[in-house]
Amino acid sequence: MPHPIEIALELISDPALRPVAERVAEGRRLGAEDGALLFRTPDLIGLGLLADARNRVLHGDRVTFAANHHINPTNVCILRKTCVFCSYARLPKEEGAYRYTLEQTLAEAETANTTLTREFHIVGGLDMHAGLAYYTEMFRALKARFPHVHIKALTAVEVAHIARIEKMTVPDVLVALRAAGLDTMPGGGAEVFSPGVRATIADKKLSGEEYIHVHREAHRLGIRTNCTMLYGHVETVEDRIAHLSMLRELQDETGGYLAYIPLAYHPDNNELGATLERTGTATTGFDDLRNVAVGRLFLDNIAHIKTHWIMVTPFLSQTALHFGVNDVEGTVVREKIYHEAGAHTPQALGLDDLLKLIRAAGKTPAERDSFYEIVREFDPGQGFEAPVGEARAPSPAVAGAA
């Protein structure tokens, strides 16, 4: 539960936001109506003030990042025709479809021996030929070759898919994956839990209740996970709050979530974007900042809120560091899913650029491990002259993911 904090309430310009601000200052849990008001208030600066005050109590001026590496081993997916917001999936014989061999996976992971990589982030499609044996062999090989690298892999949707095609229970699949080297799980696949929204954008995908079930079973086994919400498509404010409430309830029960990551929908190269007649960026900067701030205030039992710069740009992620965010995406090696959907951000930020982004926001950078334990802190005053994104000599790569 939250603790009381000092807030300059006179800086809140929206009278409707004042009572919610008082509850935040008193350390009281916010209800669904409070959360809806946070999403609707025109006082973005006041909302940011509240989220930043809450974040400072928890984390001070420290902003963390992780050195990790994305691997997307297959884009073949049985939901290709029904998950209409996705630009990544392909049918088995469709142009562009692929499934890595073990050798290809190991080759893509090889940079872990030449960079600061501490974590592999592994997610892909629901491929009928990528079952339990495919992933257990992969994890064992990765652990054998890169024993120092943590494996964060497979969304709840993928775990449930493996259980279905192998005719196993979810707990049995998780136990087998853990024995092979799985350390933690990402939070993808949540989208928005509302049945109506899922029927519109991800028909036949794992339901919200089933997603929660997989994460509950993972937590019960001691496997920590992240959680997410995909926003900016057809969902309502009420859908968002219902989604966040389900995440908060599970965290009350298990304490197994490490971080919450709101994910901005990208409309390019997918059926939903065409139906909605949207291209480019589907969300506004206001909504991007509002989502991280509401996450910080409503999810009072999840310590870490991450900004995903690949989806919202490094510049907006930098601003988000004053809207309740304490963790920023690093560089992403060969990230494919969001760039297929039209993300125009670079695929990597060098370490120097990432440190500059954090320091320029008045924050102190710190590298963390997958459990949010600090690996090393950086001098908050040490600067780099080149602006974020400017070409420079390569520096050790770091990467982040949901």
Side-chain angles (χ1 to χ4, degrees), residues 369-384:
D369 66 14
S370 301
F371 295 104
Y372 284 82
E373 297 296 330
I374 301 303
V375 174
R376 57 174 171 161
E377 300 229 36
F378 293 84
D379 181 351
Q382 182 180 351
F384 294 86

Side-chain angles (χ1 to χ4, degrees), residues 24-223:
V24 172
E26 293 166 1
R28 294 163 58 189
R29 170 163 278 190
L30 301 182
E33 290 185 0
D34 298 325
L37 190 147
L38 295 178
F39 272 119
R40 291 193 169 104
T41 179
D43 186 6
L44 182 68
I45 300 303
L47 174 61
L49 175 73
L50 299 179
D52 185 56
R54 171 61 61 205
N55 183 57
R56 286 178 183 276
V57 167
L58 297 172
H59 304 290
D61 282 322
R62 176 190 281 164
V63 172
T64 55
F65 63 89
N68 55 21
H69 180 133
H70 273 225
I71 300 174
N72 305 123
T74 177
N75 66 350
V76 175
C77 187
I78 62 173
L79 298 182
R80 168 72 174 89
K81 295 297 186 180
T82 60
C83 212
V84 296
F85 71 91
C86 181
S87 308
Y88 172 71
R90 299 292 186 273
L91 293 173
K93 296 183 180 180
E94 190 174 356
E95 182 180 358
Y98 73 89
R99 180 187 311 112
Y100 284 173
T101 63
L102 180 59
E103 290 70 25
Q104 288 173 310
T105 300
L106 293 173
E108 182 151 321
E110 193 60 40
T111 58
N113 279 332
T114 58
T115 66
L116 301 177
T117 297
R118 299 180 189 274
E119 175 187 280
F120 292 128
H121 176 90
I122 304 171
V123 295
L126 306 188
D127 187 337
M128 293 298 292
H129 295 285
L132 186 61
Y134 179 82
Y135 284 107
T136 53
E137 182 183 25
M138 178 192 299
F139 295 168
R140 287 192 179 97
L142 288 170
K143 283 292 188 181
R145 187 168 298 189
F146 312 102
H148 62 290
V149 180
H150 178 106
I151 294 179
K152 179 174 71 179
L154 302 180
T155 65
V157 181
E158 291 168 277
V159 170
H161 170 72
I162 293 171
R164 184 169 55 250
I165 64 176
E166 302 289 358
K167 296 181 173 57
M168 297 171 63
T169 67
V170 165
D172 285 346
V173 169
L174 289 170
V175 167
L177 291 169
R178 184 178 61 180
L182 176 70
D183 294 303
T184 59
M185 288 170 53
E191 322 323 346
V192 173
F193 292 150
S194 160
V197 172
R198 294 183 93 76
T200 303
I201 72 168
D203 192 26
K204 299 185 179 180
K205 197 168 195 173
L206 202 67
S207 72
E209 290 76 14
E210 290 168 328
Y211 175 99
I212 291 292
H213 169 70
V214 173
H215 282 259
R216 177 182 288 112
E217 293 299 324
H219 298 171
R220 186 179 64 82
L221 291 167
I223 301 171

Side-chain angles (χ1 to χ4, degrees), residues 217-361:
E217 293 299 324
H219 298 171
R220 186 179 64 82
L221 291 167
I223 301 171
R224 304 293 297 276
T225 70
N226 289 341
C227 56
T228 65
M229 179 175 71
L230 182 73
Y231 66 90
H233 39 88
V234 302
E235 84 285 359
T236 65
V237 164
E238 286 70 27
D239 291 330
R240 292 179 180 183
I241 291 300
H243 181 102
L244 295 178
S245 295
M246 289 176 67
L247 297 178
R248 190 169 73 175
E249 289 167 9
L250 181 61
Q251 184 71 346
D252 278 343
E253 177 187 338
T254 68
Y257 283 131
L258 288 163
Y260 168 67
I261 309 100
L263 303 173
Y265 166 63
H266 279 254
D268 287 349
N269 306 320
N270 58 65
E271 183 181 335
L272 181 62
T275 300
L276 298 176
E277 298 183 342
R278 296 185 194 173
T279 58
T281 302
T283 60
T284 65
F286 263 52
D287 204 25
D288 294 330
L289 293 174
R290 191 185 303 275
N291 269 276
V292 293
V294 175
R296 171 59 70 196
L297 294 168
F298 195 80
L299 298 176
D300 53 44
N301 53 4
I302 298 179
H304 305 289
I305 307 294
K306 176 188 279 192
T307 177
H308 206 284
W309 65 258
I310 291 176
M311 306 186 86
V312 300
T313 77
F315 306 104
L316 197 137
S317 284
Q318 184 181 56
T319 306
L321 301 183
H322 289 275
F323 280 76
V325 166
N326 74 292
D327 191 63
V328 66
E329 195 80 353
T331 67
V332 175
V333 181
R334 292 179 60 80
E335 193 283 324
K336 300 175 182 178
I337 295 174
Y338 301 121
H339 285 85
E340 288 279 354
H344 301 296
T345 52
Q347 283 196 322
L349 287 181
L351 177 60
D352 290 356
D353 285 334
L354 185 60
L355 296 177
K356 180 178 177 66
L357 182 149
I358 295 170
R359 287 170 173 151

